[in-house]
Amino acid sequence: MAALLSLHDVSFAFGRGRAGGARLFEGLSLEVREGEFVSVVGASGSGKSTLFKLIAGLLEPAGGEIFLYGERAPRRLGRIAYMPQQNLLLPWRTVMDNCLLPLELTPRGRSADGRGEVLKLLKLLGLEGCENAYPAELSGGMRQRAAFLRTLMAGQPLLLLDEPFGALDAMTKRELHRWLLGLWGDLNKSVLFITHDLEEAILLSDRIYLMPGAGSGEQALELRVDLPRPRDSRMKYEPAFIRFRQELERLLDDQTQTAT
Amino acid sequence: MTKRKPLLNALLAQYGLFLLLLLALLGAWECGVRLGWVPFFILPAPTTVAGALGEDAHLLLGRHLAATVAESALGFLLSVCVGSLLAIGMHMYRTLDKALYPFIIVSQTIPLIALSPVFILWFGYSIWSKVAVVFLTAFFPIVVGAYDGLGKGDAGYRDLLLTMGAGRWAIFRKVQVPLALPSFFSGLKLSVVYSVVGATIGEWLGGSEGLGYFSRRMSGSLQTDAMFASVFLLSALGVVYFLIVAWLEYWLLRRKRRRSAYR
């Protein structure tokens, strides 16, 4: 399987100059292969969102290289679909118009039949009939799904999802896990996913990267989740799942302790 | 017909108290003057003012109101164009911002009356000296409203659109302008009311027509009833302007309003 995205020895520091600013991470390497769902977990402040901004091209690394779709990628804006923590749907646009936004911004998109595609995806995401609704008329879970749809409409093979379910209540979150797991086989995308929720990470991912503590300069720890697909949310009560979760929690605790 | 009634009820619910108080005040005023508590040449009774308005209707509405409308509307439109362009320029270019912002503040601290001889010198007694005064009073709220509104643009939206491959101009059009509209309209409402004040001051400085000129001339010859009639027209003009802008905002932001209805 080809790597869609790979980071080699990437480092990043806030502020100007490599020596002066506060180093967030150093020598970080990770990889997302085609069709994979990969999660990044770590303590808050470890630089997960910053890492995503680096990958998306909103920030530039201080050192190291980022490869996208097999080649070195100094310009990454507009080549990866990015879904931020808040849904950031434009309140004055309907769901349909929000989802068409990525198409309006690219020359490729304007010629495509956006509406038909959005309608098809709305059906797939269980939002049928919502195309003319405004974001404020939807529930939190529906808004998140609409934002996910907009992310899909960017038409990129790689999706960066920054805690997309972070702001939701537990019930809605469960519902969306069920929904995403059911959908995953048909989506044909690769995902890099940030979360605080370990259970969520294990349930959804093929692999998990543990972000090193801020400024520690260590590598991101890589863990493989060997649960069969298709998955469903009942798997989290299975012994293998619980063992894995314990292990992950232990690693995370170790790390926060060494960091302090 | 069935649709009319709720509208009337809604208007009464909204403005009923205001109208009641207005009537009471007018009544008290009328009584006060009629009973001789206030001399009529200091404060004419409302009916007298209405009489003067009727008497001079042709002159007031045909000539002076038309002149004031022309000056204030021209000055206001100029303010909107120049003010918006300034705000956009300052928002887009940091250098322009740093260079111009202090000037814009200073323009508001200059006493208009002190500047008036200069305006007369530059523009003469033509309509343009009044337009200049209107512009100077009305453009400030527009610049500040538009500039602050554009500054509100959320960094989250900007980042999101950047990852979609948007350029600066696209982000400006798709996100920042819609986000700036409420603040822009707040500035517009202030500005449109100021434009009437500006026109009045402009006419005081020199000229031969307009409601401001007329009111000054009438007060000079102690014809307070005619003066009050022109003041009434000026204030009514401001209200009409305000309503036009408010309606424009209502119409443009109707989708946003729909959002807040569900909050």
Side-chain angles (χ1 to χ4, degrees), chain B residues 194-233:
Chain B
Y194 284 179
S195 74
V196 177
V197 178
T200 310
I201 297 177
E203 289 163 6
W204 279 8
L205 302 180
S208 54
E209 54 180 0
L211 289 169
Y213 158 78
F214 184 79
S215 71
R216 198 168 146 98
R217 206 183 73 192
M218 289 302 121
S219 86
S221 55
L222 282 185
Q223 297 187 33
T224 33
D225 50 350
M227 190 205 87
F228 267 88
S230 61
V231 169
F232 167 76
L233 280 181

Side-chain angles (χ1 to χ4, degrees), chain A residues 116-131:
Chain A
E117 208 178 331
V118 171
L119 287 176
K120 223 164 58 196
L121 283 169
L122 280 171
K123 209 168 181 174
L124 188 68
L125 303 197
L127 289 171
E128 212 173 353
C130 292
E131 62 268 21

